[in-house]
Amino acid sequence: MHVLVTGGAGFIGGHLAEAFLEDGHDVTVLDNFEPFYAEGIKRHTLEVHREVAADGDVEYRFVEGDVRDPETVREVVDDADVVVHQAAQAGVRESVDNPQRVTDINVDGTVNLLEASKETDVDRVILASSSSVYGKPRSLPYEEDHPTEPVSPYGVTKVTQEHMARVYTELHGLPTVCLRYFTVYGPRMRPNMAISNFVSRCLNEEPPVIYGDGEQTRDFTYVDDVVDANRTLLTDDSVDGEVLNIGSSDNISIQELAEVVRDQLAPELEIEYESAREADAEHTHASVEKANETIGYEPSRTITEGVGEFIEWYEANREWYEPLVRSS
């Protein structure tokens, strides 16, 4: 199978491309090195891809390009059996500052991809959505039929992606599925996330900083679980045209998360607090019952277990990763 991974030099896309290569698939990665965080992390990811491809009998191709360019998109989609669409302008706060840019990338780029895919023999398009689509909770945990009332432009673009994918399935028979990720973390994660921030600061004997009162809660999802869901959907058509939550079914307050990291690395530090950030969701908590019933999805780690694994990875890769985290 030939898999196209858009945004494949990024955090989640990079892990997906690596896993597909390990599984023996040919992989094309499309990425434009969007400077949202340190490019060096993405360059390191591409080196991992090349090493994995060299060790196996698989073809690997990296294309530096943008999903907003229809010609580039058509060219890379043409050889694909399955498209795994991870490319996006991430960041809730970034979307508040620049809603036009996030719309251009996340909506127009997705339409380019769907248009190209409907004209080829693509078996399926798997799209990355987000828990940001839900907005203010009417009930928790979020089930897929919970109202989608996002509180940020980023969340609005993700809802729009989902509707466009559904329409292309209904109008054109293009198999699509949208995965609503809940705050994914793990090796090579974005440096501006709470977990990587807390770990970096504590390892450098600096107090972890919480934005807000720390009572907000998050459902953090280990990246390996996201990989497993996408692996299954390369060949599973049971949820074509639908959306699925991909989370841990567990959640933790930001206060408790900071304490878990602090207590493991630097128990003498006092946690500090700053003003809450605009448009951040107050709570996220995923119901994964539908994903379990349809594709056998099961989270593999509790948040505490996953954070412990990330800390071990960080310490083992600190020499190259930390300078990039702290420069972002």
Side-chain angles (χ1 to χ4, degrees):
M1 180 183 294
H2 191 134
V3 185
L4 166 65
V5 183
T6 69
F11 167 44
I12 300 174
H15 280 276
L16 291 171
E18 179 182 352
F20 298 151
L21 290 166
E22 290 173 342
D23 292 343
H25 299 302
D26 298 331
V27 172
T28 297
V29 162
L30 174 68
D31 203 290
N32 71 340
F33 292 111
E34 169 65 29
F36 184 56
Y37 63 92
E39 185 177 308
I41 299 176
K42 296 183 178 183
R43 295 288 182 187
H44 183 91
T45 295
L46 296 182
E47 280 303 311
V48 171
H49 293 168
R50 295 185 186 100
E51 291 171 5
V52 173
D55 289 339
D57 186 21
V58 291
E59 294 183 6
Y60 172 71
R61 179 186 176 208
F62 171 69
V63 176
E64 185 169 353
D66 197 305
V67 291
R68 289 171 291 180
D69 178 5
E71 291 186 8
T72 298
V73 170
R74 281 195 297 270
E75 191 267 326
V76 293
V77 167
D78 192 53
D79 294 328
D81 298 306
V82 175
V83 175
V84 180
H85 182 38
Q86 305 294 309
Q89 173 62 66
V92 167
R93 289 177 293 280
E94 178 75 13
S95 76
V96 172
D97 293 338
N98 197 339
Q100 185 63 61
R101 178 174 177 78
V102 75
T103 302
D104 291 344
I105 296 172
N106 295 1
V107 177
D108 295 351
T110 297
V111 172
N112 286 339
L113 192 80
L114 293 169
E115 274 292 299
S117 296
K118 82 171 187 181
E119 297 170 0
T120 67
D121 293 325
V122 166
D123 296 331
R124 181 162 298 101
V125 181
I126 306 168
L127 300 96
S129 188
S130 168
S131 60
S132 294
V133 302
Y134 290 115
K136 296 180 180 179
R138 298 188 182 180
S139 61
L140 290 172
Y142 289 120
E143 297 180 343
E144 285 84 353
D145 60 359
H146 185 285
T148 51
E149 298 174 339
V151 295
S152 68
Y154 173 75
V156 171
T157 66
K158 287 298 181 178
V159 172
T160 305
Q161 282 184 327
E162 292 181 358
H163 284 303
M164 292 301 298
R166 175 185 54 79
V167 166
Y168 272 74
T169 297
E170 294 178 359
L171 288 182
H172 306 296
L174 174 67
T176 67
V177 59
C178 296
L179 302 182
R180 291 174 176 169
Y181 299 151
F182 282 69
T183 316
V184 185
Y185 71 102
R188 303 195 305 265
M189 69 185 293
R190 276 176 23 211
N192 57 351
M193 304 292 284
I195 293 173
S196 51
N197 228 321
F198 292 161
V199 172
S200 174
R201 292 185 66 85
C202 288
L203 283 173
N204 287 278
E205 301 181 353
E206 300 170 0
V209 177
I210 290 176
Y211 294 92
D213 60 11
E215 295 304 309
Q216 59 270 49
T217 61
R218 292 289 180 272
D219 189 325
F220 288 97
T221 311
Y222 200 73
V223 69
D224 287 4
D225 295 335
V226 170
V227 169
D228 286 345
N230 279 271
R231 272 177 164 147
T232 299
L233 288 167
L234 291 182
T235 56
D236 189 319
D237 64 0
S238 61
V239 286
D240 284 354
E242 300 184 38
V243 298
L244 285 183
N245 288 338
I246 302 298
S248 71
S249 73
D250 189 10
N251 72 345
I252 189 172
S253 72
I254 300 302
Q255 176 71 35
E256 185 180 353
L257 174 65
E259 291 172 354
V260 166
V261 174
R262 186 271 313 272
D263 292 349
Q264 182 167 337
L265 296 176
E268 73 284 357
L269 293 176
E270 294 289 334
I271 295 170
E272 296 183 355
Y273 301 84
E274 294 188 7
S275 298
R277 289 175 166 173
E278 191 177 18
D280 277 348
E282 186 174 358
H283 302 290
T284 67
H285 188 191
S287 167
V288 296
E289 183 176 349
K290 180 179 177 181
N292 177 261
E293 292 176 351
T294 54
I295 64 171
Y297 172 78
E298 291 186 4
S300 62
R301 297 160 176 82
T302 66
I303 293 171
T304 302
E305 290 169 342
V307 168
E309 286 189 36
F310 175 71
I311 289 172
E312 290 180 9
W313 178 87
Y314 191 118
E315 291 178 317
N317 292 271
R318 190 174 179 182
E319 182 177 354
W320 72 266
Y321 181 66
E322 185 169 81
L324 300 173
V325 170
R326 294 181 69 79
S327 67
S328 294

